[in-house]
Amino acid sequence: MIEQLSLIPAINEEETKANVEEALVKYREFMFSVSEEKLPKVTATYSMVSAAPSNLFNSTTESVAIDRVHLEQIKERHINWIRKGVNRLNAREREIIIKRYLVDDMVYDYQIYTEMNLSERQYYRMKSKAFFKLAAALKIESYI
């Protein structure tokens, strides 16, 4: 018997699924949340600021604005990254991922497979396949 060498490492299925789920949850959070601590302060505060020998302006409002712009850029990149990955799935897989993770209403798996006229087993197979394809498209698969 000839032993076959595999050049492709084995995928860590649980960790890969967790990576995909985390990316999808982050997508939903980015779409619908703004952190309160990033909002500029409305009340005036006074403090002693040392005169730095530079042209930098040390305003908390300016710092908050810069942080918010940076956060918005991160959100936008993540959202586009997920959208590109999801668009690489076939129509049924894309439907599962969008309905389950990317819409604003929280829905459960049983609601989706009932709506799609799939058996529970078919649904979970398609969902699993979609997760692995999405992991590959997003380059977040994990190997043993």
Side-chain angles (χ1 to χ4, degrees):
M1 179 169 22
I2 299 174
E3 190 174 317
Q4 186 176 6
L5 295 175
S6 176
L7 299 176
I8 301 171
I11 289 183
N12 181 333
E13 292 182 14
E14 292 304 313
E15 197 171 317
T16 297
K17 285 180 181 181
N19 292 346
V20 172
E21 186 123 9
E22 181 181 332
L24 294 172
V25 167
K26 190 181 284 188
Y27 171 92
R28 181 180 277 163
E29 288 173 3
F30 282 171
M31 290 294 289
F32 302 105
S33 72
V34 175
S35 62
E36 198 171 42
E37 67 269 0
K38 294 293 185 181
L39 296 175
K41 292 180 184 175
V42 178
T43 58
T45 57
Y46 300 96
S47 62
M48 298 292 289
V49 179
S50 63
S54 71
N55 294 341
L56 295 176
F57 184 66
N58 293 327
S59 162
T60 58
T61 304
E62 183 180 53
S63 295
V64 168
I66 290 168
D67 288 348
R68 290 197 74 197
V69 167
H70 182 66
L71 179 61
E72 292 305 313
Q73 289 171 340
I74 290 170
K75 287 179 181 182
E76 188 176 323
R77 272 186 256 137
H78 188 82
I79 289 165
N80 289 331
W81 178 60
I82 294 294
R83 284 184 181 157
K84 286 178 184 178
V86 169
N87 284 334
R88 295 186 65 188
L89 302 174
N90 70 40
R92 297 287 275 183
E93 293 164 344
R94 193 168 43 245
E95 183 178 2
I96 289 170
I97 298 299
I98 290 170
K99 285 181 176 183
R100 178 66 175 89
Y101 296 98
L102 305 184
V103 295
D104 56 345
D105 294 331
M106 186 66 174
V107 294
Y108 298 98
D109 289 314
Y110 75 88
Q111 293 170 306
I112 298 168
Y113 65 72
T114 302
E115 183 181 322
M116 293 178 68
N117 293 320
L118 295 170
S119 70
E120 185 176 356
R121 187 174 180 161
Q122 286 173 313
Y123 171 80
Y124 282 109
R125 281 184 181 167
M126 289 178 85
K127 182 180 172 185
S128 181
K129 189 175 178 183
F131 263 45
F132 290 116
K133 282 183 172 181
L134 193 53
L138 299 174
K139 297 181 180 12
I140 57 173
E141 65 270 50
S142 183
Y143 297 100
I144 296 175

